[in-house]
PDB file of all heavy atoms in Angstrom:
ATOM      1  N   VAL A 344     107.585 213.702 124.344  1.00 89.00           N
ATOM      2  CA  VAL A 344     108.217 215.027 124.261  1.00 89.00           C
ATOM      3  C   VAL A 344     107.429 215.922 123.314  1.00 89.00           C
ATOM      4  O   VAL A 344     107.149 217.082 123.631  1.00 89.00           O
ATOM      5  CB  VAL A 344     109.695 214.899 123.817  1.00 89.00           C
ATOM      6  CG1 VAL A 344     110.281 216.253 123.447  1.00 89.00           C
ATOM      7  CG2 VAL A 344     110.521 214.233 124.912  1.00 89.00           C
ATOM      8  N   ALA A 345     107.031 215.389 122.152  1.00 85.00           N
ATOM      9  CA  ALA A 345     106.265 216.185 121.179  1.00 85.00           C
ATOM     10  C   ALA A 345     104.918 216.591 121.767  1.00 85.00           C
ATOM     11  O   ALA A 345     104.497 217.752 121.628  1.00 85.00           O
ATOM     12  CB  ALA A 345     106.064 215.396 119.878  1.00 85.00           C
ATOM     13  N   ASN A 346     104.226 215.676 122.431  1.00 84.00           N
ATOM     14  CA  ASN A 346     102.934 215.995 123.055  1.00 84.00           C
ATOM     15  C   ASN A 346     103.081 217.062 124.132  1.00 84.00           C
ATOM     16  O   ASN A 346     102.267 217.977 124.229  1.00 84.00           O
ATOM     17  CB  ASN A 346     102.295 214.744 123.661  1.00 84.00           C
ATOM     18  CG  ASN A 346     101.659 213.862 122.627  1.00 84.00           C
ATOM     19  OD1 ASN A 346     101.375 214.277 121.518  1.00 84.00           O
ATOM     20  ND2 ASN A 346     101.452 212.609 123.000  1.00 84.00           N
ATOM     21  N   THR A 347     104.112 216.941 124.949  1.00 88.00           N
ATOM     22  CA  THR A 347     104.351 217.924 126.004  1.00 88.00           C
ATOM     23  C   THR A 347     104.607 219.298 125.399  1.00 88.00           C
ATOM     24  O   THR A 347     104.064 220.310 125.859  1.00 88.00           O
ATOM     25  CB  THR A 347     105.534 217.486 126.885  1.00 88.00           C
ATOM     26  OG1 THR A 347     105.228 216.211 127.456  1.00 88.00           O
ATOM     27  CG2 THR A 347     105.819 218.489 127.991  1.00 88.00           C
ATOM     28  N   TYR A 348     105.408 219.337 124.359  1.00 84.00           N
ATOM     29  CA  TYR A 348     105.707 220.595 123.672  1.00 84.00           C
ATOM     30  C   TYR A 348     104.446 221.191 123.057  1.00 84.00           C
ATOM     31  O   TYR A 348     104.160 222.384 123.208  1.00 84.00           O
ATOM     32  CB  TYR A 348     106.773 220.355 122.606  1.00 84.00           C
ATOM     33  CG  TYR A 348     107.102 221.583 121.793  1.00 84.00           C
ATOM     34  CD1 TYR A 348     107.845 222.623 122.347  1.00 84.00           C
ATOM     35  CD2 TYR A 348     106.663 221.706 120.480  1.00 84.00           C
ATOM     36  CE1 TYR A 348     108.144 223.756 121.607  1.00 84.00           C
ATOM     37  CE2 TYR A 348     106.957 222.833 119.739  1.00 84.00           C
ATOM     38  CZ  TYR A 348     107.696 223.860 120.306  1.00 84.00           C
ATOM     39  OH  TYR A 348     107.990 224.972 119.581  1.00 84.00           O
ATOM     40  N   LEU A 349     103.670 220.363 122.360  1.00 81.00           N
ATOM     41  CA  LEU A 349     102.437 220.854 121.740  1.00 81.00           C
ATOM     42  C   LEU A 349     101.424 221.315 122.785  1.00 81.00           C
ATOM     43  O   LEU A 349     100.736 222.324 122.592  1.00 81.00           O
ATOM     44  CB  LEU A 349     101.829 219.778 120.844  1.00 81.00           C
ATOM     45  CG  LEU A 349     102.582 219.508 119.543  1.00 81.00           C
ATOM     46  CD1 LEU A 349     102.025 218.274 118.850  1.00 81.00           C
ATOM     47  CD2 LEU A 349     102.535 220.714 118.623  1.00 81.00           C
ATOM     48  N   ALA A 350     101.334 220.606 123.901  1.00 82.00           N
ATOM     49  CA  ALA A 350     100.418 221.027 124.967  1.00 82.00           C
ATOM     50  C   ALA A 350     100.841 222.382 125.532  1.00 82.00           C
ATOM     51  O   ALA A 350      99.997 223.243 125.819  1.00 82.00           O
ATOM     52  CB  ALA A 350     100.367 219.979 126.074  1.00 82.00           C
ATOM     53  N   ASP A 351     102.138 222.606 125.663  1.00 84.00           N
ATOM     54  CA  ASP A 351     102.625 223.889 126.140  1.00 84.00           C
ATOM     55  C   ASP A 351     102.301 224.993 125.132  1.00 84.00           C
ATOM     56  O   ASP A 351     101.876 226.087 125.512  1.00 84.00           O
ATOM     57  CB  ASP A 351     104.127 223.824 126.407  1.00 84.00           C
ATOM     58  CG  ASP A 351     104.653 225.091 127.053  1.00 84.00           C
ATOM     59  OD1 ASP A 351     104.063 225.530 128.062  1.00 84.00           O
ATOM     60  OD2 ASP A 351     105.642 225.647 126.544  1.00 84.00           O
ATOM     61  N   LEU A 352     102.481 224.716 123.849  1.00 78.00           N
ATOM     62  CA  LEU A 352     102.110 225.696 122.817  1.00 78.00           C
ATOM     63  C   LEU A 352     100.617 226.005 122.870  1.00 78.00           C
ATOM     64  O   LEU A 352     100.211 227.161 122.750  1.00 78.00           O
ATOM     65  CB  LEU A 352     102.458 225.174 121.423  1.00 78.00           C
ATOM     66  CG  LEU A 352     103.902 225.282 120.978  1.00 78.00           C
ATOM     67  CD1 LEU A 352     104.065 224.652 119.596  1.00 78.00           C
ATOM     68  CD2 LEU A 352     104.382 226.713 120.970  1.00 78.00           C
ATOM     69  N   LYS A 353      99.816 224.962 123.062  1.00 77.00           N
ATOM     70  CA  LYS A 353      98.369 225.159 123.133  1.00 77.00           C
ATOM     71  C   LYS A 353      98.017 226.093 124.282  1.00 77.00           C
ATOM     72  O   LYS A 353      97.213 227.019 124.129  1.00 77.00           O
ATOM     73  CB  LYS A 353      97.667 223.813 123.300  1.00 77.00           C
ATOM     74  CG  LYS A 353      96.151 223.927 123.373  1.00 77.00           C
ATOM     75  CD  LYS A 353      95.501 222.572 123.525  1.00 77.00           C
ATOM     76  CE  LYS A 353      93.990 222.726 123.614  1.00 77.00           C
ATOM     77  NZ  LYS A 353      93.326 221.444 123.794  1.00 77.00           N
ATOM     78  N   ARG A 354      98.642 225.869 125.424  1.00 80.00           N
ATOM     79  CA  ARG A 354      98.391 226.707 126.585  1.00 80.00           C
ATOM     80  C   ARG A 354      98.825 228.147 126.316  1.00 80.00           C
ATOM     81  O   ARG A 354      98.099 229.098 126.613  1.00 80.00           O
ATOM     82  CB  ARG A 354      99.136 226.160 127.802  1.00 80.00           C
ATOM     83  CG  ARG A 354      98.873 226.927 129.101  1.00 80.00           C
ATOM     84  CD  ARG A 354      99.732 226.421 130.257  1.00 80.00           C
ATOM     85  NE  ARG A 354     101.152 226.344 129.949  1.00 80.00           N
ATOM     86  CZ  ARG A 354     101.975 227.406 129.903  1.00 80.00           C
ATOM     87  NH1 ARG A 354     101.521 228.607 130.101  1.00 80.00           N
ATOM     88  NH2 ARG A 354     103.256 227.236 129.639  1.00 80.00           N
ATOM     89  N   GLN A 355      99.979 228.331 125.712  1.00 79.00           N
ATOM     90  CA  GLN A 355     100.510 229.667 125.475  1.00 79.00           C
ATOM     91  C   GLN A 355      99.714 230.460 124.437  1.00 79.00           C
ATOM     92  O   GLN A 355      99.611 231.674 124.544  1.00 79.00           O
ATOM     93  CB  GLN A 355     101.970 229.591 125.019  1.00 79.00           C
ATOM     94  CG  GLN A 355     102.929 229.149 126.099  1.00 79.00           C
ATOM     95  CD  GLN A 355     104.344 229.103 125.566  1.00 79.00           C
ATOM     96  OE1 GLN A 355     104.795 230.023 124.903  1.00 79.00           O
ATOM     97  NE2 GLN A 355     105.051 228.013 125.848  1.00 79.00           N
ATOM     98  N   TYR A 356      99.212 229.774 123.418  1.00 73.00           N
ATOM     99  CA  TYR A 356      98.591 230.476 122.298  1.00 73.00           C
ATOM    100  C   TYR A 356      97.080 230.305 122.214  1.00 73.00           C
ATOM    101  O   TYR A 356      96.470 230.731 121.241  1.00 73.00           O
ATOM    102  CB  TYR A 356      99.248 230.050 120.985  1.00 73.00           C
ATOM    103  CG  TYR A 356     100.658 230.574 120.889  1.00 73.00           C
ATOM    104  CD1 TYR A 356     101.740 229.788 121.267  1.00 73.00           C
ATOM    105  CD2 TYR A 356     100.903 231.872 120.453  1.00 73.00           C
ATOM    106  CE1 TYR A 356     103.033 230.273 121.203  1.00 73.00           C
ATOM    107  CE2 TYR A 356     102.188 232.361 120.386  1.00 73.00           C
ATOM    108  CZ  TYR A 356     103.252 231.557 120.761  1.00 73.00           C
ATOM    109  OH  TYR A 356     104.518 232.048 120.703  1.00 73.00           O
ATOM    110  N   ALA A 357      96.480 229.698 123.219  1.00 73.00           N
ATOM    111  CA  ALA A 357      95.023 229.529 123.223  1.00 73.00           C
ATOM    112  C   ALA A 357      94.358 230.906 123.118  1.00 73.00           C
ATOM    113  O   ALA A 357      94.724 231.838 123.827  1.00 73.00           O
ATOM    114  CB  ALA A 357      94.579 228.816 124.492  1.00 73.00           C
ATOM    115  N   GLY A 358      93.412 231.025 122.214  1.00 72.00           N
ATOM    116  CA  GLY A 358      92.664 232.259 122.068  1.00 72.00           C
ATOM    117  C   GLY A 358      93.364 233.360 121.302  1.00 72.00           C
ATOM    118  O   GLY A 358      92.826 234.455 121.173  1.00 72.00           O
ATOM    119  N   HIS A 359      94.544 233.115 120.776  1.00 70.00           N
ATOM    120  CA  HIS A 359      95.268 234.146 120.036  1.00 70.00           C
ATOM    121  C   HIS A 359      94.844 234.241 118.578  1.00 70.00           C
ATOM    122  O   HIS A 359      95.197 235.186 117.893  1.00 70.00           O
ATOM    123  CB  HIS A 359      96.777 233.912 120.115  1.00 70.00           C
ATOM    124  CG  HIS A 359      97.371 234.322 121.419  1.00 70.00           C
ATOM    125  ND1 HIS A 359      97.195 233.591 122.571  1.00 70.00           N
ATOM    126  CD2 HIS A 359      98.116 235.400 121.753  1.00 70.00           C
ATOM    127  CE1 HIS A 359      97.829 234.192 123.560  1.00 70.00           C
ATOM    128  NE2 HIS A 359      98.389 235.292 123.100  1.00 70.00           N
TER     129      HIS A 359
END
Side-chain angles (χ1 to χ4, degrees):
V344 168
N346 282 341
T347 301
Y348 177 73
L349 288 171
D351 186 50
L352 280 177
K353 180 179 179 181
R354 183 185 51 77
Q355 290 180 46
Y356 290 95
H359 283 74

